[in-house]
Amino acid sequence: PNTQNPPRLAEFRQLFVPPPGQVLIGADFSQIELRVAALLSGDWNMLDAYRMGEDLHARTAAAIAGCAADAVTPQQRQGAKPVNFGNLYGQAAAGLARQAKLDYGVEMTTSDAKQALLKFKLAYPQLEHWKRQQIGLAQQQRQVKTKLGLVRDFDVQGEGYLRGEAQNIPVQGSAAEVLLASLVRLPDALRGTGAVLYHTVHDEIELACSPDSIDEAVAGLRDAMVGGFLDVFPDGTYLTNGLVDVRTGNNWAAVH
């Protein structure tokens, strides 16, 4: 490989192509960690947003800006993304401000980040209560669990960043279980379509498919992913609206 001029991610994605004569179908779970956090914590404001088909990033942006959700600008919505996800990672203000710039292109001072975190806590009080409970459980019982029971044992596996992991592992671990459950369902869902699993990345599933079977493959993939979510969260039916985003294209860049 050319280590002096490594390809940028966007260029790499254009090089990632399906076999000749086929197209890629890419699907990911929309806001999966936030949906999981809503269900695990029972936070009524988060759950209500999903029940109503609202965009949680816009709702958070409205809480931070002190305006109505329909008055949120695209820039404010983009600024709410690192706040939403940073909270699930247990980020403090300095880390949030740094990550907002690196991952989202959002300029945020440490003071701005501190205020945003405070307003987030006020907007989603049950989530904050659940996070404090998780930290207490981790400190007392020395372990936390995912929805399906995978254990993070701080005594056996090392403490690491206990406070952050106590909040994050149940969320990201349970989201990973949703993807695995979806993959279990995938062969039956794709039967007769000719589509095959080509790649998985985090919360995405990529298929290779002939152009004349796209509709059937997309329907099967969506069914498998919604079904996988409900296998892990049987009580989450009302959170499946807008759960799966599906795109097609001739390379990985086109399906993002």
Side-chain angles (χ1 to χ4, degrees):
N2 184 349
T3 56
Q4 292 184 336
N5 296 291
R8 292 173 296 180
L9 179 58
E11 294 171 343
F12 172 78
R13 285 174 169 169
Q14 292 175 348
L15 295 173
F16 190 93
V17 297
Q22 295 193 318
V23 296
L24 284 182
I25 300 173
D28 68 349
F29 287 103
S30 174
Q31 302 178 9
I32 184 64
E33 290 95 347
L34 295 172
R35 294 175 196 264
V36 168
L39 285 165
L40 291 177
S41 67
D43 187 277
W44 60 78
N45 286 333
M46 298 179 78
L47 293 173
D48 182 61
Y50 286 119
R51 281 194 192 98
M52 300 295 291
E54 293 181 19
D55 175 10
L56 196 70
H57 293 319
R59 180 174 280 214
T60 299
I64 294 171
C67 67
D70 59 4
V72 167
T73 67
Q75 293 77 17
Q76 289 171 326
R77 182 184 182 276
Q78 182 69 5
K81 289 182 180 180
V83 180
N84 275 338
F85 293 118
N87 261 274
L88 301 183
Y89 307 145
Q91 281 184 333
L96 172 59
R98 183 170 56 253
Q99 214 65 34
K101 174 64 174 177
L102 289 174
D103 290 348
Y104 299 92
V106 173
E107 295 286 352
M108 185 182 294
T109 67
T110 301
S111 178
D112 292 337
K114 186 175 181 180
Q115 285 300 310
L117 289 171
L118 175 59
K119 291 179 179 180
F120 182 98
K121 292 176 181 179
L122 294 174
Y124 307 115
Q126 282 184 291
L127 175 62
E128 290 305 307
H129 176 69
W130 175 82
K131 286 163 61 179
R132 290 193 298 270
Q133 281 185 320
Q134 288 300 117
I135 294 170
L137 285 172
Q139 291 171 334
Q140 294 173 16
Q141 301 180 6
R142 306 297 297 167
Q143 62 178 226
V144 291
K145 296 180 181 180
T146 64
K147 185 66 167 64
L148 297 185
L150 183 67
V151 176
R152 166 64 163 101
D153 190 314
F154 293 100
D155 285 335
V156 173
Q157 299 164 336
E159 182 160 310
Y161 177 39
L162 182 145
R163 292 178 64 88
E165 290 186 42
Q167 303 167 58
N168 185 243
I169 282 177
V171 174
Q172 283 204 307
S174 300
E177 289 170 339
V178 169
L179 181 71
L180 292 173
S182 302
L183 292 173
V184 169
R185 284 177 166 266
L186 198 58
D188 285 342
L190 296 180
R191 185 164 287 123
T193 68
V196 296
L197 177 65
Y198 197 51
H199 201 29
T200 62
V201 185
H202 186 45
D203 61 352
E204 302 173 27
I205 296 176
E206 317 286 346
L207 305 180
C209 176
S210 65
D212 57 359
S213 297
I214 288 177
D215 290 344
E216 295 87 348
V218 166
L221 177 57
R222 192 184 301 275
D223 287 347
M225 294 174 73
V226 171
F229 179 78
L230 294 175
D231 286 341
V232 180
F233 292 98
D235 56 345
T237 303
Y238 58 92
L239 269 74
T240 59
N241 182 33
L243 174 65
V244 180
D245 291 330
V246 184
R247 295 160 300 279
T248 62
N250 294 320
N251 55 49
W252 192 18
V255 299
H256 281 73

